Amino acid sequence: MSSERLAALLDEYADLEKRLADPAIHADQNTARRVGRRFAELAPIHKAAGELTEARQDLAAARELAAEDASFAAEAETIAGRLPELEERLAELLIPRDPHDAKDVIVEIKAGEGGEESALFAADLLRMYTRYAERRGWVTEVIDAQDSDLGGVKDVSLAVKTKGVPEGGNGVWSRLKWEGGVHRVQRVPVTESQGRIHTSAAGVLVLPEAEDVDVTIDPNELRIDVFRSSGPGGQSVNTTDSAVRITHVPTGIVVSCQNEKSQLQNREQAMRILRARLLAAAQEQADAAASDARKAQVRTVDRSERIRTYNFPQNRITDHRIGYTAYNLDLALAGELDGVLDALAEADRAARLAGDSELSRR
C-alpha cells in the first residue's frame, strides 16, 4: 500500500473533522453536507489504519514480553496472524474509488421499441426502483413524467436521495450506478390477444445529481422555450404555457419539464436534470482522455446494448454483464434488487483489486 497516499488521506480526515466541529460550517447546509460526505468516505480508512497500527504496536509489545516470559509467545502469534487480514482490508480501502459514490442520483427511464408494452414495462421499472429506494430508506421524487394511454410511462425522471450523510460514503450512486443501459422484457403483453410472448425494451440512464460547485452553467449559453403541457395522447392538461424546454447550446443537450404547475418550478427541475447530464458528460470526456489510467470510475456497458433481461414466463432475471441469473423476478420487481446489485458490486471489487475497474469490459 502507498504510505504517502495513506498519510495524505489521514491528514485530510483530521482536517475535515476540525471543519465539522466548527459551528460556522453548518450555516451553509450544502457545504456541511459535502464535507460530511467526504468525512464519511474517509472514516473506514481512518478506522482500518488505526486498527492496523494498534495491532502492530500490540505485536511489538507481545514479542518484547515473550523474550522474558514465554507465555506471551502465543499472544504474539495470534496477533501476527491477524495482521495480513488487517493489511488486506486497508489496501482494498485505499484503492481509488468512484468519485461519485456518495452522491444522490437522477434516474431517467424511457420507453423504447414495443409501443404501449414498452411504456408499461418502463412503469414497472419505475416502481421497482421506487420500492428498492423505500427498502433502503431513501427518498424519491418524480421530477418529470410523460404517461401513456394505458397507464405506462413514455419518459420519466426520478430523483433518489439518501437521508442525511450516507454511511461510509456509500450513497445512492454506489448502488444504482449499475442500472444504466437497455433493459429487455419478455412476456405476454396485456394488449396481446393470442397469448404470444413479445420482447420489448426500455432504456435507463442513471446520473449522479450535480451540485452547484460541480457544474458551472453560463446563462448566455441556454435557450429557454415555454410551451403548453400535455397529457397522454396529446390531450391538453394545462391552459397556460408552464412547461419549459431548456437547450444547452454548446452541447446540444435538451431537457423538458412539465410536471409542475408553474413555469418557475418546471425551470428549476429542468436545470437539475441539465446539471446532472452536464456532469455525466464531463465525466465521460475525462474518462475517455484518461482511459488507460482510470482506476475508480465504473461505467455500465454501452447504452445501445442490453444489460439485463426480465423473463416473465420463467420468473427469471439475467444480468448479461456478469452472467448473473436468478429465478426471483417477482421479488426483484417488488424492490428486492440486492441480489443482482451485490453481484455487480462484487464483480467490480474483484476488477478493482486486479487493477481494472471497467465492468463494461466483461
Side-chain angles (χ1 to χ4, degrees):
M1 71 185 71
S2 169
S3 57
E4 294 82 4
R5 172 172 166 74
L6 175 59
L9 292 176
L10 293 179
D11 287 344
E12 183 183 359
Y13 178 89
D15 179 65
L16 294 172
E17 190 172 33
K18 291 179 181 178
R19 291 184 65 187
L20 288 172
D22 183 355
I25 194 174
H26 300 286
D28 184 343
Q29 288 301 311
N30 289 332
T31 300
R33 182 174 172 83
R34 187 169 62 255
V35 172
R37 281 178 171 175
R38 180 57 176 165
F39 182 75
E41 288 178 18
L42 296 179
I45 295 176
H46 177 265
K47 180 180 179 182
E51 291 177 348
L52 179 57
T53 298
E54 183 179 356
R56 286 172 173 169
Q57 292 173 345
D58 290 346
L59 176 60
R63 283 176 172 170
E64 184 178 343
L65 293 170
E68 302 176 359
D69 186 343
S71 64
F72 285 97
E75 181 179 350
E77 185 176 341
T78 299
I79 297 173
R82 289 181 53 226
L83 287 181
E85 177 185 347
L86 293 173
E87 290 170 347
E88 182 180 353
R89 185 197 312 167
L90 181 56
E92 183 175 332
L93 289 171
L94 286 176
I95 297 173
R97 64 184 294 171
D98 187 322
H100 297 314
D101 271 353
K103 288 186 176 294
D104 299 323
V105 306
I106 294 176
V107 180
E108 297 185 3
I109 306 172
K110 300 179 184 296
E113 295 181 2
E116 192 63 44
E117 163 62 6
S118 179
L120 291 170
F121 177 52
D124 289 337
L125 292 177
L126 173 62
R127 282 189 293 271
M128 180 180 75
Y129 292 129
T130 300
R131 290 168 178 171
Y132 180 67
E134 291 172 353
R135 291 175 178 273
R136 303 284 298 194
W138 297 336
V139 178
T140 60
E141 173 196 1
V142 174
I143 298 177
D144 193 56
Q146 296 181 37
D147 299 330
S148 69
D149 294 325
L150 296 183
V153 290
K154 299 176 182 177
D155 192 343
V156 61
S157 297
L158 178 74
V160 188
K161 296 178 173 289
T162 57
K163 295 179 179 178
V165 176
E167 183 177 354
N170 295 313
V172 182
W173 173 261
S174 71
R175 296 298 285 174
L176 293 188
K177 61 185 173 184
W178 323 111
E179 296 304 289
V182 175
H183 296 239
R184 184 177 67 172
V185 62
Q186 296 171 328
R187 65 183 176 188
V188 178
V190 295
T191 55
E192 169 59 53
S193 59
Q194 303 298 319
R196 293 172 296 187
I197 296 175
H198 287 226
T199 298
S200 61
V204 176
L205 179 62
V206 183
L207 304 169
E209 182 153 11
E211 301 175 29
D212 290 341
V213 295
D214 295 325
V215 176
T216 300
I217 300 177
D218 185 348
N220 295 322
E221 296 178 340
L222 300 179
R223 185 172 70 246
I224 301 176
D225 302 303
V226 296
F227 58 98
R228 190 161 297 177
S229 301
S230 61
Q235 180 181 4
S236 176
V237 295
N238 199 327
T239 57
T240 61
D241 292 336
S242 61
V244 174
R245 181 186 300 108
I246 299 178
T247 302
H248 186 249
V249 177
T251 62
I253 294 175
V254 180
V255 179
S256 299
C257 276
Q258 62 177 13
N259 261 32
E260 305 297 337
K261 294 182 179 179
S262 79
Q263 187 181 120
L264 178 61
Q265 289 174 318
N266 281 321
R267 176 170 175 162
E268 290 174 348
Q269 298 289 44
M271 287 297 293
R272 286 178 65 185
I273 298 176
L274 177 60
R275 280 194 295 269
R277 290 189 183 177
L278 288 174
L279 177 62
Q283 184 66 56
E284 288 177 0
Q285 290 177 358
D287 289 345
S291 59
D292 292 337
R294 180 168 50 174
K295 298 295 182 182
Q297 177 68 16
V298 180
R299 303 300 297 171
T300 58
V301 295
D302 186 275
R303 297 186 188 103
S304 65
E305 303 174 9
R306 73 179 189 277
I307 63 166
R308 191 174 298 152
T309 295
Y310 303 75
N311 184 290
F312 276 68
Q314 298 178 16
N315 196 36
R316 170 172 56 84
I317 179 171
T318 299
D319 195 287
H320 304 287
R321 294 164 292 184
I322 56 173
Y324 173 92
T325 295
Y327 293 88
N328 61 350
L329 176 57
D330 54 337
L331 297 178
L333 290 174
E336 295 187 20
L337 283 174
D338 279 331
V340 62
L341 295 182
D342 286 343
L344 286 161
E346 177 57 29
D348 171 62
R349 188 190 73 85
R352 287 190 297 116
L353 287 173
D356 178 9
S357 65
E358 289 192 74
L359 187 61
S360 59
R361 291 178 180 173
R362 292 179 169 270

